[in-house]
Amino acid sequence: MLFDHFQLRRNPFATRYVASARLAPRDSRGRVLDLPAIVDRLGAIGGSGAIEGPHGTGKSTLLFHLSEVIAAESRPVVRIRMRSQGDALGVLLAMRQAPRGGLACIDSWELLGTVGRSMVRCMARGLGIGLMVTSHGPTDLPTLVSCRGSRALLESLVGQLPGHAEWFGTTIIPADLDAAIVEAGEDLRKAFDMLYDRFERSRAGAPR
Amino acid sequence: MRFPRFFTKKRGHRRTDSHAWGSFAEGLFYALLVGAGVVFGLLLVTGAVSYAPADPDSVVLQRGYEWWMWLLTLLIPVALLAFGGSGLVRVVRTWGKSQEHRAAASRTVILEGLAGPSPVAGHPGVPSCDNLENSPGIVLRYRLPIESPENWTLVGFGLFALLWNAVVVVLAVGVGADLIGGTTDWLLIGLLVPFVAVGVGGVVLFVRATVLSTSVGPTHVEISDHPLVPGMSYDVRLGQGGAHLFRSIDLGLELEETATFRQGTDTRTQRLVVRRVPVSRWQRVQPVPGGSFEARVAVTIPADAMHSFSSENNAVQWRIVVRALPDRWPEFTRAFPVVVLPVKAVVTTSPSEAVEALE
Amino acid sequence: MNAADAQHGDDHIPARTAQPFPRIELRFGHPGRGYDPGEWVTVEYCIEGLNGERPRALERSALWYTEGKGEEDIGVHSFERFATAETIDRVVPDGTFAIQLPTSPLSYEGVIVKIRWCIRLRVFFESGRDHVSEHVFSVGRVPPSILP
């Protein structure tokens, strides 16, 4: 049946399955993060903090899930995703939508530049809203969480992907994860990319 | 009264406004470059000459300027004169001539009429054909645009080399003046070294690209109809210029997938050719001197071909691809995008009948 | 509804949901779920496991989406929302509807780009939570691309 055909040809490493919203955030040992505890820590460090870590270590994923937890507590949340320095003005305009006591979640804090970051911090102080941002290294905001990629984390994330029991051990084997982590280092986004290709090649019957 | 527009947005790589006004503007641009070269050169020369106070009728060069200083100093104005002059000559030669006129001058006969109206829209996700159908062919109905014209790469290399070396010249003049004055600015000299290295590299790249472009010549592809439909055959005419022998020329169809992912500051685009349909191969091809190698073949779109698709971050695209291996030059590939429509829709039962069947 | 034909689609359950979620059984007019462009797709569905919780709205849509290594793009071909008491009673817990497919895009099993068609049902509850069920079908007969 065609539906079975589609089931077989679904690649679990496709973007729609590994994108930020889909996977539960975990620490470098693969353990599920205690999101409410992190939210409490955000309050303890003054209401603003940074999720820092190298490329592909789950910063955006964690930012999204934390913002969901905070929004569920009925606290207003504004989510801002930056793609270039030109988005700086958009960030300032978006922050104005957050009422006092709200939280602005900004992905890619460094793109704002020194001047932009100062302006955003000033505006946040003036408006009485908190900031939760992602960055690739230590910033001018206190560090809320440090994200690191690892083999254990990759394995636990792979375990969350759809149909894991059907293809893990056959189409994708543990040695593929080893090879991906060696090649990609801490960048799990890159590791997923490689596993995507590995999955397609395995399915096509290509030799390892 | 409609004022001429010199800077009309081009559809793809073609002009959309008056050819005459466009040529005039282009000529004006090159004339300005020539003028800038003359002015700049004169300023440099007059700044380096003076007259002997004792004999006002005599002009002498200022002392302290060696021959290599002259070479460096005059590099920019000479470059401006050369670039602007060649462009002016080209504009004058092609002034007032249509593409067909130019083709007729090279003894090519126009066989087909001009393009008809574009197909009616109604294929969601299928990219527009406008940019692919706005240039009539000389022999066949349409002339396809090349995917990444090497001319722009050449212009890019040239501009980079020009601008970078202008900075190098300024630095070099500064260093030279210091040395002549008896002072040594090691910081400036240290800065000059990498700049010169990059400048030389830029010139080498530009010269190499120019030689390659002029040696292998342009590639033209025309097609008898567009957009394309799976299962149908089309006439394709290939024209390959060049002065030298080609060991082989391959013409084929390719299906390429493109996927773009963005997360934070990362933007990754991957392209993958998933299907190749060889069409024809020629070996030991020698273009006609002053002309080009020409061939006409039939290209059949596979009956089970996926149609062209384009969305914000993903694309599935067909291309006619020409791969050529010139003798003593590296192989090059030139791609000409085409649009393939989906197979015709089938309207079967009405919804009420289908619901009854379900029950 | 014939249980042999009914399919449970991909149910998207938000991670924070602690309450039991409903199950949506959906049957396509074509058992093989394969259609040609321009054809009518008829669907019969049944929402189970509501446990007395009354939905406040239902959305039914037919859309295509991309899957692969790129960001997901979607194109909504058909969309209906039922949010009043009268209309909700007509479409919950079961209903039937039909949509005519466009000429494109066709379903495509590429390597780094795939195009899928699906029927998506989204149920909204008074408590504020929502539940999405996606049921894939195919349009056209384009063979899968293989890794070169």
Side-chain angles (χ1 to χ4, degrees), chain C residues 22 50 53-57 123-131:
Chain C
L50 287 172
E53 189 175 2
R54 182 189 167 76
R56 65 176 174 84
V123 186
F124 298 85
F125 294 96
E126 298 287 352
S127 59
R129 70 186 182 110
D130 65 273
H131 175 70

Side-chain angles (χ1 to χ4, degrees), chain B residues 124 257 262 270 311 346 349, chain C residues 37 40 69 71 73 104 108 112:
Chain B
E257 297 176 5
R262 294 186 190 89
Q270 184 174 349
S311 60
V346 174
T349 56
Chain C
W40 283 91
K69 296 185 90 173
E71 289 211 27
D73 295 320
S104 61
Y108 175 63
I112 62 172

Side-chain angles (χ1 to χ4, degrees), chain B residues 231-249:
Chain B
M232 301 289 288
S233 291
Y234 302 87
D235 276 348
V236 169
R237 176 176 170 268
L238 167 67
Q240 176 61 56
H244 305 291
L245 177 76
F246 288 89
R247 286 191 215 167
S248 65
I249 298 178

Side-chain angles (χ1 to χ4, degrees), chain C residues 42-55:
Chain C
T42 52
V43 164
E44 188 181 352
Y45 64 90
C46 178
I47 305 172
E48 299 173 346
L50 287 172
N51 297 323
E53 189 175 2
R54 182 189 167 76

Side-chain angles (χ1 to χ4, degrees), chain B residues 102-121:
Chain B
R102 289 196 291 270
S106 63
R107 294 191 297 268
T108 306
V109 179
I110 300 171
L111 296 177
E112 299 280 344
L114 295 179
S118 297
V120 176

